[in-house]
Amino acid sequence: MVYNSMILGINTVFSRGYSIIILLGFFTSVILTKFMINKMIDCKFGTDLHKKEKLKVAEMGGLAILLTLSIFLPFIEANLLVPVLIAGVLGIIDDIAKLSPKEKLLILALSAIPTGLLLGLSPIYIVLLMFGISICSNFTNMLAGFNGLEIGTGTLASLFLALIMLQNGDIIGFNSLMLFFAAYLGFLIYNKYPAKVFPGDTGTLPIGAFLATLAVWKGAVLPLIIIMIPYIIDASLKYYSAGVTKREEHKPTQLGEDGKLYVAGGYLSLPRLILMKKPMREYNIVFVIWALEILCGITALFVNSTVKII
């Protein structure tokens, strides 16, 4: 049954031309990201703390992703653009004016109301969506700090949730997530080690908002929770050791003379916990987190194919 649904879904993708939209989304993201790098490098930039040269890197590159999704997502499901844009605009404001964590949580929760109404959700599901968007967006914004970490992990999470939709025979959900995946993958080309652009909250907050919206709307909350396990572990460690604080208040990991990253005290996080056990180069710790995300994604696919949830 699951196999037949996946075959039907793949056939529908090509017959309806969604694959063209997804491919256009990918290439548009690549082009716009390159454009944003050139425009932002001298007006909105940050320092790459984990490089000996302390390179200047363009920030707020997530604008390229927002523009890409704004162009192509309406061709699949226009209502899904609402949580992306609200989270993205909130990210822009935060990247410029620095909102408090509580302010971001509140605004993200309220964004679920128009989203839920447009998608025709019942009041109880809108309440669930309020929690989902605020929590997931916060989590996808927190698991960050290394080249390609937040974008790569978010790209993988969206891919596996897309495969969950394909298992369930949900073509709209699948194609919406594949477009989201393609837009972030295009950005990842320039965000991976060594990063030429940072996404900012503009690019990280929409990840959780979009995934939570699809999961609640399409009844895939349990698979999303499994997919989000690396985020949950990371957030739990941070809340336990440092409470609710801004990222700027955290002391970064230290780059050793051997090119490896070391942790000397401070708050806990998933990457820092791993580095405490085994110092490694920046791209290696990112690969470890990606591998964990892949493992969780495969587990989610297995659970979704075997556990029936009403």
Side-chain angles (χ1 to χ4, degrees):
M1 182 66 180
V2 171
Y3 175 78
N4 291 336
S5 295
M6 294 184 73
I7 295 298
L8 175 63
I10 293 172
N11 290 335
T12 306
V13 166
F14 286 99
S15 65
R16 294 186 181 180
Y18 285 133
S19 57
I20 297 176
I21 296 173
I22 293 167
L23 283 172
L24 286 173
F26 170 76
F27 289 113
T28 300
S29 177
V30 172
I31 294 169
L32 289 178
T33 300
K34 180 62 175 177
F35 175 80
M36 292 303 300
I37 292 172
N38 295 332
K39 291 298 179 182
M40 290 295 187
I41 192 63
D42 292 321
C43 62
K44 181 63 177 175
F45 58 87
T47 302
D48 196 332
L49 299 176
H50 297 134
K51 304 291 188 300
K52 290 183 179 179
E53 298 83 4
K54 297 297 182 287
L55 301 173
K56 185 172 73 171
V57 180
E59 287 191 333
M60 275 181 64
L63 280 169
I65 301 170
L66 288 184
L67 289 171
T68 299
L69 294 173
S70 297
I71 294 170
F72 295 104
L73 193 53
F75 288 101
I76 302 175
E77 177 52 70
N79 292 330
L80 288 175
L81 192 57
V82 175
V84 172
L85 288 181
I86 294 176
V89 170
L90 179 64
I92 293 172
I93 296 172
D94 189 44
D95 284 333
I96 296 173
K98 299 301 177 186
L99 300 171
S100 72
K102 292 180 180 179
E103 288 172 331
K104 285 188 284 187
L105 284 173
L106 177 60
I107 296 172
L108 287 166
L110 293 176
S111 73
I113 297 175
T115 300
L117 292 174
L118 286 170
L119 294 175
L121 299 180
S122 65
I124 190 169
Y125 277 93
I126 291 177
V127 172
L128 178 61
L129 186 59
M130 291 177 71
F131 282 100
I133 288 180
S134 61
I135 292 173
C136 289
S137 294
N138 192 38
F139 284 4
T140 57
N141 187 46
M142 290 173 66
L143 184 54
F146 304 94
N147 291 178
L149 177 58
E150 54 267 53
I151 297 301
T153 309
T155 300
L156 288 169
S158 60
L159 175 61
F160 280 107
L161 191 58
L163 295 176
I164 295 292
M165 296 296 146
L166 192 58
Q167 275 188 335
N168 297 341
D170 193 319
I171 303 308
I172 295 298
F174 171 74
N175 285 288
S176 299
L177 282 157
M178 285 304 297
L179 174 61
F180 194 82
F181 163 78
Y184 273 83
L185 183 64
F187 184 85
L188 182 61
I189 291 175
Y190 294 103
N191 178 243
K192 65 178 176 58
Y193 183 96
K196 296 178 177 63
V197 62
F198 294 148
D201 289 4
T202 308
T204 56
L205 288 175
I207 298 173
F210 193 75
L211 296 181
T213 299
L214 262 296
V216 173
W217 183 35
K218 299 296 185 178
V221 174
L222 177 58
L224 179 61
I225 291 174
I226 297 172
I227 289 171
M228 293 287 292
I229 285 176
Y231 295 100
I232 295 171
I233 295 173
D234 181 72
S236 298
L237 288 169
K238 286 176 179 173
Y239 286 137
Y240 172 76
S241 61
V244 180
T245 59
K246 294 182 179 180
R247 188 184 305 165
E248 293 78 13
E249 298 173 4
H250 295 324
K251 183 180 179 181
T253 50
Q254 300 299 311
L255 180 65
E257 291 297 325
D258 57 359
K260 295 181 179 180
L261 297 176
Y262 292 83
V263 177
Y267 72 100
L268 294 175
S269 69
L270 180 56
R272 290 169 69 91
L273 187 65
I274 296 170
L275 290 171
M276 285 179 181
K277 300 295 184 182
K278 181 179 175 57
M280 59 184 73
R281 298 181 184 274
E282 183 176 7
Y283 52 81
N284 286 332
I285 184 61
V286 172
F287 288 156
V288 170
I289 304 298
W290 285 0
L292 180 58
E293 179 60 37
I294 291 171
L295 178 61
C296 292
I298 293 172
T299 303
L301 285 168
F302 174 77
V303 171
N304 185 67
S305 66
T306 56
V307 178
K308 302 300 179 183
I309 303 176
I310 299 177

